[in-house]
């Protein structure tokens, strides 16, 4: 039972409903309350049946199982006048179990060939209406048997997808077996020959509505023999011989409505057809030859509905007494107190053919229709959503979901079209449809809401109108299609930061996690949408904790490990990356690492043939590597080898993949053992190649990884051998990213502070002279670029003022001009801090200035790890070395000033720590 139905029952009228009481757990004081208890089993039968009508079939079955009385009421014939099997997997076993209830079944909707084969088992001889979709695989034999078993059939509709395996033979069988047929609409038939159509004319004397839609060939002469026809549609049908049409169809005595939309009909033919005495309305949407003739018009008294006409005005012309508001023509007609049967039939037919053609036009998305969609197309679809015909409502909602989309791959929509829907009250209409108990309407309405919500203004309107609660409720549906579209809506809404908390409050996080467990196999669409929504939500700190609490980590890891669909893999990896991105603010990073198989699955996904999957998996490993245990576990799971291979392969990949591949290696290389392993595995060369990227984000991660690698003398030498010095020197001087320039300078400083020299001599005894020469050249280049980098942060006047004064203001001014805000996120080990402290004693004045500049960045108050760095510096005896550097007569001015600032930073943090104690 849906939440909406329960709320409706509980609040019906003004009386409060009290649930049954249980004497064994109540005290005597509550005895007075027992007088107002409602015994649900004693409700009048009519009331219970009315409750049943508000439920879908699954909920009706649940309610029927509560007691014997309600089980009997649940099979009342009035509840089984119509049956919609589309949301359910329907085979002969299912239909056989329903047969006892379907004796009086009048209307049936089904989906797919398997359901069509099973219809016979319902034994519903009295069926009057059958409607099916996804009918590509339905054969002549199946359709012929259906016709033979249901001789009372009055309406048969198959489409809108093509019925590729149905031929004229099946149409002849329908004509012979179903003499009461009044409506026949078939889509995508290859050939409808004259023999089949003449059989319809001969045997089905009451056939008033014919639709051969999107067919290849239709016998035009034979259609002129069906004198009973009042409404005829050949929309989208090709190979029409329009001369024959004008000769034979104009003579049909009862023809009131003709639909030639999406055909190559020519104006002269329509002029001849419009001279028919009986014809009242001609629909010709998206007919190129007609639209090129600006002077075209129909005979007086005939309504022409085309893209270049005012369709609302054309519809209004069918009425004598009607409101002057032409845009309200559909609602005015539906509210007429005095009904006109003939007019009602015309309007019902127009609703159907308009919804069908508008959807087809939206799907093909031809150029040049922006003005039509904005001026009347969107309004038409919204009007059709209020139709009493369920299939019209569904197609109109699907049309809204489709016509706004510009690029399905990149989830791009037309903002003007989306806001036109919102302006005309479309959001409320769609949300009302989503509240319906009919699952077909729920699914299509949720799809439209999802697509429209890509627009931020529409998303805001959806949230304000209660759409988040509605979608969260639909995400709990047992119908996979409904749940899938609802998850898609939550995915798009969760892009907005302002909606994430509301989704969590509505129970959306748990609903999405439950979807993954519920449809863990065979539901790639719903899994991708659920994982995508969770990925967006996991980017928020509070929501990420909610995801973990309700089992989201396990669910997402399960997808990463087991699902083979690349869309699901990509979103699951992205969700895990976002869960692990909150650092010390929550424990999700460690929780993901502890989940069995998580790290192994992500390492494996870096080898995916799909770039998006590789990118998100590398991003997840990057974030997870910030945790010490995860870092070593990733390496143990083969992460070093996989990520080095990824870095090698992504030289021509997107900047996003390059950034994450280098970032993951940067994260792993924090451990010296991993750093050495990366070097030995050949990771230096691809990182140098990435350092030459044109994207500054890639600069940062590549420079960060090379900085970590350069701490090890062996890796430092490899960087020189692989041509890394020119690459880092170029970064140091030309990158648009201050952080990239900073880390490139630090990498060069590590490489030439003297530790690599000994390794180079020992490791290259046979080539010591040549290598020595190359190292000297590389050293000169590196020191020159380091010096230039440091000088970019030193203004001569400011430094002169700071040198001449000991006032805090002058030092603060230097600090602000030298500060690199992002550097506050860097966390150094004790060995790294010790190396910079040692570098303050280096004979090179350039390296002294660089070391002081680095320590300044690491200790600036407010930095994320400043206190940690100060503690390490105290342990390394840094204050004494800093004082010596600040007072050294031969030290450069920059080194002195930076050293003084670092000393001041140390004093600041010590004072703060004492005050806390």
């Amino acid at each position: 039972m849906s939440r909406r139905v329960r709320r409706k029952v509980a609040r019906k009228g003004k009386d409060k409903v009290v649930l049954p009481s249980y004497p064994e757990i109540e005290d005597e004081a509550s005895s007075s309350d027992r007088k107002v208890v409602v015994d649900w089993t004693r409700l009048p039968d009519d009331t219970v049946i009315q409750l049943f009508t508000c439920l879908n079939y699954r909920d009706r079955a649940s309610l029927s199982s509560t007691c014997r009385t309600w089980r009997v009421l649940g099979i009342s014939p009035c509840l089984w006048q119509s049956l919609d099997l589309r949301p359910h997997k329907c085979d002969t076993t299912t239909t056989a179990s329903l047969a006892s209830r379907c004796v009086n079944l009048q209307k049936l909707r089904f989906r797919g060939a398997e359901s069509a084969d099973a219809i016979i088992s319902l034994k519903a001889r009295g069926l009057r209406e059958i409607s099916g979709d996804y009918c590509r695989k339905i054969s002549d034999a199946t359709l012929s048997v259906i016709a033979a078993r249901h001789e009372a059939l009055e309406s048969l509709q198959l489409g809108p997808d093509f019925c590729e395996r149905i031929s004229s033979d099946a149409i002849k069988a329908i004509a012979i077996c179903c003499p009461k047929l009044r409506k026949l609409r078939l889509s995508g038939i290859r050939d409808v020959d004259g023999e089949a159509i003449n059989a319809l004319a001969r045997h089905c004397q009451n056939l008033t509505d014919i639709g051969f839609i999107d067919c290849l060939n239709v016998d035009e002469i034979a259609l002129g023999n069906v004198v009973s026809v009042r409404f005829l549609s050949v929309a989208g049908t090709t190979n029409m011989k329009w001369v024959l049409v004008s000769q034979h169809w104009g003579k049909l005595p009862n023809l009131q409505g003709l639909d030639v939309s999406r055909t190559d009909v020519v104006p002269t033919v329509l002029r001849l057809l419009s001279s028919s005495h009986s014809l009242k309305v001609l629909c010709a949407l998206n007919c190129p030859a007609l639209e090129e003739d600006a002077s075209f018009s129909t005979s007086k008294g005939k309504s022409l509905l085309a893209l270049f006409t005012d369709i609302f005005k054309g519809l209004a012309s069918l009425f004598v007494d009607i409101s002057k508001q032409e845009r309200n023509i559909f609602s005015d007609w539906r509210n007429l107190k005095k009904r006109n049967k003939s007019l009602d039939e015309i309007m019902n037919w127009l609703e159907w053919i308009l919804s069908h053609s508008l959807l087809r036009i939206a799907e093909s998305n031809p150029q040049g229709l922006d003005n039509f969609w904005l001026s009347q197309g969107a309004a038409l679809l919204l009007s059709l959503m209020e139709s009493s015909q369920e299939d019209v409502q569904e197609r109109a909602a699907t049309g809204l979901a489709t016509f706004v989309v510009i690029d399905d791959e990149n989830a791009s929509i037309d903002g003007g079209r989306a806001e036109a829907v919102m302006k005309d009250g479309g959001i409320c209409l769609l949300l009302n449809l989503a509240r319906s108990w009919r699952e077909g309407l729920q699914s299509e309405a949720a799809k439209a809401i999802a697509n429209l919500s890509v627009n931020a203004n529409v998303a805001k309107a959806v949230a304000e109108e209660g759409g988040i609660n509605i979608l969260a409720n639909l995400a709990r549906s047992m119908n996979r299609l409904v749940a899938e579209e609802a998850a898609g809506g939550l995915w798009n809404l969760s892009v907005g930061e302002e909606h994430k908390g509301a989704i969590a409050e509505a129970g959306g996080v748990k609903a999405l996690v439950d979807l993954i467990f519920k449809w863990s196999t065979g539901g790639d669409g719903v899994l991708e949408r659920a994982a995508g929504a969770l990925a967006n939500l996991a980017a928020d700190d509070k929501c990420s904790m909610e995801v973990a609490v309700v089992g989201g980590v396990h669910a997402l890891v399960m997808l990463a490990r087991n699902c083979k669909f690349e869309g699901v893999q990509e979103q699951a990896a992205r969700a895990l990356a976002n869960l692990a991105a909150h650092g010390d603010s929550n424990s999700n990073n460690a929780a993901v690492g502890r989940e069995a198989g998580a790290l192994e699955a992500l390492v494996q996904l870096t080898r995916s043939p799909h770039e998006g999957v590789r990118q998100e998996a590398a991003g997840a490993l990057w974030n997870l590597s910030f945790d010490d245990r995860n870092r070593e576990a990733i390496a143990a799971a083969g992460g070093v080898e996989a990520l080095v291979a990824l870095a090698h392969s992504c030289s021509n990949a997107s900047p996003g993949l390059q950034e994450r591949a280098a970032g993951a290696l940067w994260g792993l290389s924090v451990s010296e053992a991993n750093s050495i392993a990366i070097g030995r595995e050949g990771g230096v060369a691809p990182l140098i190649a990435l350092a030459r990227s044109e994207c500054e984000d890639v600069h940062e991660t590549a420079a960060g990884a090379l900085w970590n690698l350069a701490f090890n003398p062996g890796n430092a030498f490899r960087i020189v051998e692989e041509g890394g010095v020119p690459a880092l020197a170029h970064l140091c001087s030309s990158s648009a990213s201050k952080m990239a320039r900073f880390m490139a300078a630090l990498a060069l400083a590590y490489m030439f502070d003297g530790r690599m020299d000994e390794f180079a001599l020992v490791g290259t005894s046979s080539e010591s002279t040549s290598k020595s020469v190359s190292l000297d050249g590389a050293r000169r280049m590196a020191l020159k670029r380091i010096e230039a980098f440091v000088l970019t942060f030193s203004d001569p006047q400011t430094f002169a003022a700071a040198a001449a004064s000991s006032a805090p203001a002058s030092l603060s001014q230097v600090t602000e001009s030298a500060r690199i805000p992002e550097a506050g996120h860097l966390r150094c080990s004790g060995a790294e801090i010790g190396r910079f402290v040692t570098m303050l004693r280096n004979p090179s004045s350039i390296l002294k200035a660089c070391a002081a500049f680095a320590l300044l960045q690491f200790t600036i108050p407010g930095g994320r790890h400043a206190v940690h760095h100060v503690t390490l510096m105290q342990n390394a005896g840094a204050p004494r070395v800093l004082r010596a550097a600040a007072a050294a007569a031969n030290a450069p001015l920059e080194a002195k000033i930076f050293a003084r600032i670092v000393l001041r930073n140390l004093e600041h943090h010590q004072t703060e720590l004492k005050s806390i104690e």
Side-chain angles (χ1 to χ4, degrees):
M1 185 183 293
S2 73
R3 181 177 174 185
R4 182 184 69 83
V5 173
R6 286 202 299 269
R7 185 167 62 244
K8 182 177 178 181
V9 172
R11 295 181 180 176
K12 192 173 182 180
K14 296 183 178 180
D15 296 330
K16 182 179 179 181
V17 176
V18 182
L19 296 177
S21 59
Y22 300 91
E24 64 270 24
I25 59 172
E26 291 184 310
D27 57 33
E28 295 179 0
S30 64
S31 61
S32 59
D33 293 336
R34 299 184 191 126
K35 297 177 182 178
V36 293
V37 168
V38 174
D39 185 348
W40 292 94
T41 62
R42 295 185 180 181
L43 286 174
D45 291 353
D46 289 346
T47 302
V48 176
I49 289 175
Q50 188 62 37
L51 288 174
F52 273 109
T53 64
C54 298
L55 306 178
N56 60 41
Y57 304 110
R58 189 180 289 104
D59 289 341
R60 288 182 189 180
S62 298
L63 194 58
S64 296
S65 66
T66 56
C67 66
R68 185 178 301 155
T69 301
W70 284 13
R71 182 174 183 179
V72 172
L73 293 174
I75 59 174
S76 300
C78 62
L79 294 174
W80 296 91
Q81 297 289 313
S82 65
L83 182 62
D84 187 352
L85 294 173
R86 292 175 302 160
H88 311 283
K89 179 176 173 57
C90 186
D91 52 23
T92 52
T93 303
T94 304
T95 52
S97 68
L98 293 171
S100 62
R101 297 173 173 83
C102 296
V103 175
N104 298 306
L105 191 65
Q106 301 287 306
K107 183 177 180 180
L108 175 68
R109 302 187 72 180
F110 71 91
R111 173 168 289 157
E114 185 179 10
S115 295
D117 291 333
I119 286 174
I120 302 160
S121 302
L122 285 175
K123 299 179 182 178
R125 290 276 185 177
L127 260 179
R128 294 184 181 179
E129 297 181 33
I130 295 179
S131 176
D133 53 26
Y134 291 86
C135 298
R136 290 183 183 275
K137 295 183 180 180
I138 294 180
S139 65
D140 278 355
T142 298
L143 189 54
S144 298
V145 173
I146 289 173
R149 296 292 180 89
H150 302 100
E151 61 275 6
L153 202 62
E154 296 179 3
S155 172
L156 176 63
Q157 301 182 70
L158 300 179
D161 48 317
F162 295 174
C163 304
E164 297 173 344
R165 298 178 62 187
I166 294 176
S167 71
S168 292
D169 292 339
I171 297 174
K172 283 186 285 185
I174 292 168
I176 294 169
C177 298
C178 305
K180 296 182 180 179
L181 196 67
R182 299 175 62 85
K183 182 189 300 179
L184 178 65
R185 295 170 180 164
L186 302 174
S187 294
I189 308 296
R190 186 173 297 277
D191 291 292
V192 185
D193 62 28
E195 190 177 348
I197 296 174
N198 286 328
L200 289 170
R202 187 165 54 252
H203 296 285
C204 303
Q205 300 294 318
N206 298 319
L207 186 58
T208 59
D209 186 338
I210 296 177
F212 292 130
I213 302 167
D214 293 311
C215 298
L216 287 179
N217 297 286
V218 174
D219 192 302
E220 300 87 355
I221 297 175
L223 272 175
N225 298 329
V226 189
V227 295
S228 61
V229 70
R230 295 177 58 202
F231 307 106
L232 175 60
S233 175
V234 289
T237 293
T238 58
N239 303 319
M240 295 293 294
K241 300 178 182 64
W242 294 110
V243 174
L244 295 177
V245 167
S246 62
Q247 291 174 356
H248 296 275
W249 294 8
K251 299 175 184 178
L252 287 168
N254 299 303
L255 187 64
Q256 294 182 319
L258 176 62
D259 178 23
V260 292
S261 298
R262 301 180 293 109
T263 67
D264 58 357
V265 65
V266 293
T268 53
V269 171
L270 289 190
R271 286 193 182 97
L272 289 170
L273 289 172
S274 66
S275 63
S276 165
H277 294 297
S278 61
L279 192 66
K280 293 183 178 181
V281 61
L282 184 59
C283 189
L285 299 176
N286 199 29
C287 297
L290 191 62
E291 289 154 17
E292 290 171 2
D293 186 348
S295 63
F296 178 80
S297 62
T298 58
S299 301
K300 187 177 181 181
K302 315 295 183 184
S303 295
L304 173 65
L305 310 183
L307 297 182
F308 56 86
T309 68
D310 187 331
I311 294 175
F312 287 103
K313 186 175 181 179
L315 293 170
S317 68
L318 296 170
F319 295 81
V320 178
D321 300 320
I322 201 70
S323 166
K324 293 181 180 179
Q325 293 291 328
E326 292 165 348
R327 285 296 178 109
N328 297 332
I329 185 64
F330 281 106
S331 59
D332 288 345
W333 160 63
R334 293 174 191 129
N335 294 325
L336 284 175
K337 293 181 180 179
K338 188 176 181 180
R339 308 307 304 181
N340 181 316
K341 182 180 178 182
S342 176
L343 193 57
D344 287 349
E345 289 177 345
I346 292 174
M347 291 298 289
N348 281 324
W349 177 74
L350 284 170
E351 283 189 335
W352 196 92
I353 59 109
L354 283 172
S355 66
H356 191 283
S357 284
L358 289 173
L359 175 56
R360 281 295 196 219
I361 294 169
E363 288 171 340
S364 61
N365 195 25
Q367 297 296 313
L369 292 189
D370 281 349
N371 184 60
F372 166 75
W373 287 119
L374 294 175
S375 62
Q376 55 181 336
L380 279 168
L381 289 170
L382 292 175
S383 295
L384 293 171
M385 281 208 311
E386 297 185 272
S387 170
S388 60
Q389 302 178 74
E390 185 181 346
D391 54 347
V392 171
Q393 288 181 302
E394 287 182 17
R395 270 195 298 274
T398 308
L400 286 174
T402 306
F403 95 109
V404 296
V405 178
I406 298 172
D407 182 354
D408 194 32
E409 284 294 320
N410 297 312
S412 299
I413 69 168
D414 187 298
R417 296 181 186 181
E419 296 198 16
V421 174
M422 181 173 65
K423 183 181 68 175
D424 288 338
I427 303 305
C428 287
L429 284 174
L430 285 166
L431 292 175
N432 284 336
L433 279 189
R435 291 186 183 100
S436 167
W437 66 269
R438 298 182 184 276
E439 292 174 323
L441 291 177
Q442 291 176 350
S443 174
E444 299 308 321
K447 181 190 297 181
I449 293 166
N451 287 358
L452 289 164
S453 295
V454 172
N455 179 280
N457 292 330
V458 175
K460 181 180 178 182
V462 169
E464 289 174 350
E465 295 292 339
I468 288 175
N469 283 302
I470 292 171
L471 290 172
N473 192 39
L474 292 179
R476 301 182 184 99
S477 173
M478 295 298 293
N479 183 323
R480 183 176 60 81
L481 294 177
V482 174
E484 181 175 320
E485 300 302 346
L490 293 174
W491 186 2
N492 289 341
L493 283 167
S494 62
V495 171
E497 293 298 322
E498 67 273 26
H499 305 313
K500 288 181 170 67
I503 291 171
E505 289 176 11
V509 173
K510 187 175 189 310
L512 290 164
V513 171
D514 289 345
L515 277 183
I516 294 174
F517 292 119
K518 188 186 299 180
W519 306 104
S520 57
T521 57
D524 293 340
V526 68
L527 293 176
E528 180 179 12
R529 287 162 173 78
L534 288 171
N536 288 347
L537 292 166
D540 176 84
D541 185 40
K542 290 183 179 179
C543 290
S544 73
M545 290 188 285
E546 175 73 9
V547 171
V549 167
V550 299
V553 172
H554 179 64
L556 291 164
V557 170
M558 179 182 71
L559 292 183
R561 294 180 64 186
N562 302 329
C563 188
K564 303 305 179 185
F565 180 61
E566 61 191 27
V568 178
Q569 292 175 337
E570 180 177 348
Q571 296 308 322
R574 186 169 74 92
L576 291 171
N578 287 347
L579 279 172
H582 299 283
D584 300 330
S585 62
N586 63 49
S587 59
N588 285 346
N589 192 309
V592 173
R594 287 195 302 269
E595 186 68 32
L599 302 179
E600 292 82 357
L602 289 167
V603 168
Q604 185 62 36
L605 290 180
T606 63
R607 302 184 176 97
S608 167
H610 181 61
E611 181 173 316
V613 176
R614 297 198 301 274
Q615 176 174 310
E616 299 303 340
L621 291 171
W622 181 11
N623 289 346
L624 288 164
S625 67
F626 284 91
D627 179 87
D628 294 341
R629 290 185 180 179
N630 286 345
R631 189 183 308 122
E632 303 314 314
I634 292 168
V640 170
E641 297 82 356
L643 289 167
V644 168
L646 181 62
H648 269 292
S649 68
C650 70
S651 57
N652 295 318
S654 67
L657 176 55
Q658 293 178 336
E659 178 194 8
R660 288 163 176 78
L665 287 171
W666 182 12
L668 287 185
S669 64
V670 169
S671 157
E672 187 167 9
N674 289 344
S675 175
I676 294 170
I678 291 170
R680 289 175 177 170
E681 195 65 32
V684 169
L687 286 169
I688 292 171
L690 292 177
R692 296 189 177 102
S693 166
E694 296 180 359
C695 175
E696 63 183 71
D697 289 337
V698 181
H699 292 171
E700 288 185 10
T701 54
L706 289 169
W707 171 37
N708 281 354
L709 291 178
F711 186 84
N712 176 267
N715 283 337
F717 190 69
R718 287 189 182 94
I719 294 172
V720 175
E721 286 187 312
E722 297 288 350
V725 173
L728 288 167
H730 180 73
L731 268 190
C732 192
S733 62
S734 62
S735 176
S737 165
K738 284 184 180 181
M739 273 291 284
R741 300 205 309 272
F742 176 50
M743 291 186 290
L746 298 187
L748 292 170
Y750 275 174
M751 292 164 64
F752 295 104
D753 68 350
R755 298 194 184 188
M756 182 181 67
D757 298 350
E758 183 179 349
F759 177 89
L761 290 172
V762 172
T764 59
S765 57
S766 62
E767 303 176 84
S768 59
T769 303
S770 62
K771 289 296 179 182
S772 176
V773 171
S774 65
L775 283 178
D776 288 341
R779 181 182 291 106
R780 285 193 297 272
M781 178 189 293
L783 293 177
K784 181 180 178 181
R785 295 302 172 88
I786 293 171
E787 181 181 27
F789 167 74
V790 173
L791 288 175
T792 59
F793 294 90
S794 58
D795 175 65
Q797 291 182 345
T798 307
F799 270 68
S805 170
S806 59
S810 58
L811 292 179
S812 296
Q813 191 174 357
V814 173
T815 302
E816 284 307 310
S817 62
R819 183 178 185 183
I820 302 173
E822 298 86 352
H825 295 287
L826 296 174
R827 180 184 175 95
C828 296
S829 66
E832 290 173 307
I833 292 294
R835 188 159 180 175
F836 285 117
V837 171
T838 301
M839 208 180 291
L840 291 170
R841 300 192 186 100
N842 195 284
S844 168
S845 61
I846 294 172
L847 291 180
K848 285 179 181 177
C850 181
F853 181 80
L855 293 172
L856 180 153
Q857 302 297 332
F858 299 147
T859 58
I860 290 178
R864 185 174 178 182
H865 302 293
V867 174
H868 165 73
H869 292 146
V870 167
T871 303
L872 295 178
M873 290 177 68
Q874 295 288 354
N875 296 338
R880 179 172 54 83
V881 180
L882 285 165
R883 283 192 288 272
N890 61 346
L893 179 61
E894 292 79 16
K896 294 180 178 182
I897 300 299
F898 291 149
R900 285 173 57 192
I901 294 172
V902 176
L903 283 168
R904 193 184 69 152
N905 290 345
L906 293 179
E907 291 169 2
H908 169 83
H909 287 293
Q910 285 180 317
T911 303
E912 278 202 344
L913 289 171
K914 288 179 180 178
S915 65
I916 293 172
E917 292 173 359

